Structures are given as C-alpha cells and as structure tokens.
Amino acid sequence: MNVLQPNKKAAIITLLTNGISQREIGRKVRVDRKTIRKYARMVESNKAIGED
C-alpha cells in the first residue's frame, strides 16, 4: 500500500480549498485523480460539519 507524502496531501487540500479543479491538481501535484477525489470528499465533509 502506498502512502501519500504529507507535503502532497497538504498541497492537495490547499488547492482544493482554493477552488482549483481536481484535474489541474493532479497535473500539478502528480497524483492520480481518484486520490484527489478522496481528499475532495474529506474537505467537503469537513465544510458540512463546520457549517452546523
């Protein structure tokens, strides 16, 4: 099992919160779009929790 490096994880989360598309993040960070989608879901769920 591969583990995502902490700096790449932080970059993905930062770019997602800044509204960059998942495809563009994949190109910049060199990570598969499926991985980015996983972190996008986490970011969205955290936003939903924070709104309550």
Side-chain angles (χ1 to χ4, degrees):
M1 178 169 85
N2 294 328
V3 177
L4 192 62
Q5 296 173 352
N7 61 337
K8 287 189 177 188
K9 180 179 176 181
I12 291 169
I13 292 170
T14 301
L15 292 169
L16 283 168
T17 56
N18 288 331
I20 307 299
S21 72
Q22 292 180 16
R23 188 174 293 222
E24 188 173 351
I25 294 170
R27 285 192 297 259
K28 289 183 180 201
V29 183
R30 312 222 8 98
V31 175
D32 189 63
R33 285 185 293 150
K34 291 178 186 176
T35 304
I36 297 166
R37 191 178 327 148
K38 179 178 85 171
Y39 285 99
R41 287 184 188 132
M42 287 177 19
V43 168
E44 287 299 318
S45 67
N46 286 340
K47 283 183 184 178
I49 291 169
E51 291 176 356
D52 288 345

